[in-house]
Amino acid sequence: PDFAESPAANTYVGDESVPPGPYAVSWLATDQGKDSEKWIEFDERHYMSMVQDKPRTDAFVRALQERLAAFPPGTATVLDLGTGPYALFARAAMDFGARKVYAVEAVPESAARAREAVALAEAAPQCPVTPGSIEVLEGFSTDVELPEKVDVLISEIAGSIASEEGVYATIVDAQRRFMKRPRDPGSYVPFSYQTLGAPATDLCHHSGGADPTAPCLRIPSEDATLRMLADPLLVEDIRFAGDAPANGSVDEALAWRVDPDRVAANEAHFRAILEPNREAVEEDGLDVERLARDVSRSLSGIALWPRIVFDEAGTHVYDTRGPTGEQQLSHWPTVLPPLAPRPLPVAPGAVVTAAWSTDLRDGQVSTPVRYSLLCDIAAEAAAAPVGRAPDR
């Protein structure tokens, strides 16, 4: 971080006057750093990062194989939502004995490339993809028609917040129009999408390096400058075979107690990051030890990241961060909507509360949902943690 980039960066959060809470932030699902209604689309780099995220790809393929093993070879029908340019899961379904796959892709260029990938597979010697066994359909799944209902749905349309890519509208429509057994968890890959959240401190936000005009920041999951202040709680738990709202809002009340042990660990972590730049930090009028302490006792916002659960027992899971929010490599970034232009001071043991809302608006998959958070900080004795921790 460049500590000279912003005048406010050359001060300690603990020394600043803080406006009273609560602190509100709102953004659209399609926001990529600026408030925009444009639908999320991916370029080649994004598609390759998904495929090359081997734990993610292997988990989906393994779960698909397990679902299709329940059917006699050559009998099962599969719906692949968001097949992408490689039709990867559609081709895997044929490898695992499906009779027919309907592969749906909303982006026209990706749908065209998916047809090319299917044609190459059909022409390959000794390939189970026979002509016509995979049918690529262009458009949102809510706009297409199928000639039959299907046995298994596989869908990788989880965003960096699980519901970002229209999964609520997709589930409601698929259960009603496409599935033979809409309430059977064995009909879906995965079992559920989840969003986890935790209060976080971000060194770049503290140093003035974050864009103060951005409604939310998207930070690589392996970035060492973002640290959690408490264990994560479930913000969203979207089950494919469960009840999904068609419109309205999905609300959750949450509260985390700032973990003193995490604060101490974060202080040591930030000190190690800052130490090689001690001279530059001191030239900016700051002290490395005091700055590390200040950042570790700062709240940038509620960090949010997705988690994919593949079975009802919760034993087969893909985590985009570590089990308690640790940094790790994933193609999904972590979303951080800053609560204020500068971080807020927070003491070990304090309770951070959040009222979370997902506004589904008109309930159409093409209409991006709007998220909002209303947060506050309470003294240790004033509130207790609220919410459900993810199953481990």
Side-chain angles (χ1 to χ4, degrees):
D2 182 357
F3 292 95
E5 188 169 336
S6 165
N10 291 354
T11 63
Y12 300 105
V13 166
D15 291 344
E16 297 173 9
S17 60
V18 180
Y23 311 95
V25 61
S26 179
W27 69 101
L28 289 174
T30 49
D31 172 68
Q32 300 293 312
K34 297 188 182 299
D35 208 358
S36 170
E37 290 269 355
K38 184 179 179 182
W39 185 251
I40 298 170
E41 293 187 6
F42 301 108
D43 58 22
E44 181 65 16
R45 177 177 60 86
H46 288 100
Y47 283 122
M48 284 304 300
S49 71
M50 294 179 201
V51 173
Q52 292 172 354
D53 187 343
K54 195 171 185 302
R56 164 260 187 200
T57 301
D58 289 352
F60 272 92
V61 170
R62 184 167 68 251
L64 179 60
Q65 183 177 20
E66 290 170 355
R67 301 296 194 275
L68 290 177
F71 299 89
T75 64
T77 50
V78 176
L79 176 58
D80 176 14
L81 298 184
T83 196
Y86 314 122
L88 179 66
F89 299 146
R91 291 185 287 121
M94 296 307 300
D95 288 339
F96 301 142
R99 171 178 63 81
K100 178 76 175 184
V101 179
Y102 301 96
V104 179
E105 175 54 51
V107 180
E109 295 82 359
S110 297
R113 290 182 58 193
R115 292 189 185 97
E116 293 172 0
V118 169
L120 286 173
E122 290 174 348
Q126 297 181 334
C127 178
V129 181
T130 56
S133 60
I134 298 177
E135 184 176 345
V136 178
L137 304 172
E138 182 181 316
F140 290 116
S141 63
T142 52
D143 296 329
V144 304
E145 300 288 341
L146 300 184
E148 60 182 325
K149 291 196 173 185
V150 301
D151 297 296
V152 175
L153 180 152
I154 181 168
S155 174
E156 204 283 59
I157 54 170
S160 299
I161 297 171
S163 58
E164 275 185 337
E165 297 180 23
V167 68
Y168 279 116
T170 299
I171 288 175
V172 170
D173 181 67
Q175 287 181 350
R176 180 174 59 87
R177 296 197 300 132
F178 297 144
M179 305 307 298
K180 291 180 181 178
R181 295 171 298 280
R183 295 297 186 172
D184 179 6
S187 296
Y188 300 94
V189 177
F191 171 74
S192 69
Y193 293 159
Q194 296 179 343
T195 299
L196 305 189
T201 178
D202 180 48
L203 180 59
C204 290
H205 181 220
H206 191 285
S207 70
D211 180 358
T213 67
C216 67
L217 309 175
R218 293 178 185 268
I219 301 171
S221 58
E222 70 274 20
D223 193 320
T225 65
L226 177 68
R227 302 285 283 187
M228 304 305 135
L229 298 171
D231 285 351
L233 297 175
L234 273 174
V235 178
E236 295 182 319
D237 189 9
I238 306 167
R239 302 186 179 194
F240 279 78
D243 293 321
N247 48 44
S249 66
V250 182
D251 304 320
E252 192 73 34
L254 302 158
W256 300 262
R257 190 180 302 281
V258 175
D259 183 352
D261 291 337
R262 277 183 177 264
V263 171
N266 291 345
E267 182 176 345
H269 174 82
F270 288 126
R271 187 166 58 246
I273 291 177
L274 293 167
E275 182 58 42
N277 301 298
R278 177 178 287 274
E279 185 175 345
V281 171
E282 291 176 348
E283 285 178 358
D284 287 334
L286 299 170
D287 174 78
V288 165
E289 285 72 22
R290 186 177 174 191
L291 181 58
R293 179 180 176 83
D294 196 57
V295 178
S296 68
R297 288 161 173 77
S298 298
L299 173 66
S300 293
I302 306 301
L304 302 156
W305 63 94
R307 182 176 189 251
I308 314 299
V309 181
F310 289 94
D311 63 326
E312 194 169 5
T315 57
H316 183 189
V317 172
Y318 173 86
D319 281 302
T320 60
R321 298 187 69 89
T324 58
E326 305 93 333
Q327 68 194 69
Q328 69 178 30
L329 185 63
S330 169
H331 83 274
W332 273 288
T334 297
V335 175
L336 180 68
L339 296 175
R342 287 278 284 160
L344 305 167
V346 64
V351 173
V352 177
T353 62
W356 164 269
S357 181
T358 303
D359 180 3
L360 302 179
R361 303 171 78 187
D362 63 7
Q364 299 299 307
V365 71
S366 57
T367 302
V369 300
R370 179 171 288 280
Y371 301 110
S372 61
L373 276 165
L374 185 66
C375 298
D376 212 343
I377 303 170
E380 182 174 2
V386 174
R388 182 161 67 94
D391 294 331
R392 297 294 177 190

